[in-house]
Amino acid sequence: MSVISDVIAKVKQKDSDQPEFIQAVSEVMETLEPTEKKHPEFVKAKIYERIVEPDRMIIFKVPWVDDKGEVQVNRGFRVQFNNAIGPYKGGLRLHPSVNLSICD
Amino acid sequence: MIKEQGLKVDIALPCATQNEIGKEHAIALVKNGCFCIAEGANMPSDIDAIKVFQEHNVLYGPAKATNAGGVATSGLEMSQNSLRLSWTREEVDNRLLVIMKNIHQSCLSAAESYGCKGDYLAGANIAGFLKVAKAMIAYGVV
């Protein structure tokens, strides 16, 4: 079993409730197979295991007042995944379908 | 979503959300003459759709590369803030053009050096991964 297939299996087990995250990890990891043989230093430093784990996830309350003056409350998600090459970046999405898996 | 038979398509730019294009949509696009897909959202094509594009030699630009312009421009905004400078629209556009050309070149060369020449998806993933992985090695265990 390659390190990469092992990592995919572990994510499926650990984050079984996050289908989009599993899909994203699997799709990327499968194309990274050629790097595993060429870079034993990545395997040794456990880069494949570490790169699929976000630095941190922030879940927060968003209270606001709508056009009718009614108070509303929503849940916000921010996943800061990896800042090894620069600041955390990403878009802002306001939608009922947003969840942790999609932000991940 | 394009499922209708005979609606001619040259280029498709899926720009809304994840998993917009599945296998059946991909087949419909190819049948209707689509020769280029450039993604403008996160993961708009699922893996079966990507396989259809690759099997039919459709020019497939994966989001990690083709949708990087937004993040790159946001990076340019941060640079302007730090420099206390305001660039003209043309200046920003020229810098963005250089960034996008470099991304394209990185995808091409990564794909070639790792035995999957012409595969933009593998190229984008490998080039992006190498950049982050090497930085992580440099940082050590943090």
Side-chain angles (χ1 to χ4, degrees), chain A residues 20 23 27 93, chain B residues 1-3 12-29 37-50 53 60 63 67:
Chain A
E20 292 87 0
Q23 184 187 350
E27 287 181 20
R93 188 183 295 184
Chain B
M1 183 47 68
I2 301 153
K3 279 194 211 168
L13 308 167
C15 294
T17 188
Q18 66 280 348
N19 296 327
E20 277 184 287
I21 302 182
K23 191 177 180 178
E24 53 172 330
H25 307 118
I27 292 170
L29 281 168
I37 314 273
E39 296 182 327
N42 291 324
M43 217 163 63
S45 318
D46 72 16
I47 193 75
D48 296 327
I50 296 168
F53 299 146
Y60 169 68
N67 199 28

Side-chain angles (χ1 to χ4, degrees), chain B residues 102-119:
Chain B
N102 287 340
I103 289 173
H104 178 257
Q105 192 51 50
S106 304
C107 294
L108 275 187
S109 16
E112 194 168 352
S113 345
Y114 286 81
C116 27
K117 193 175 174 181
D119 183 342

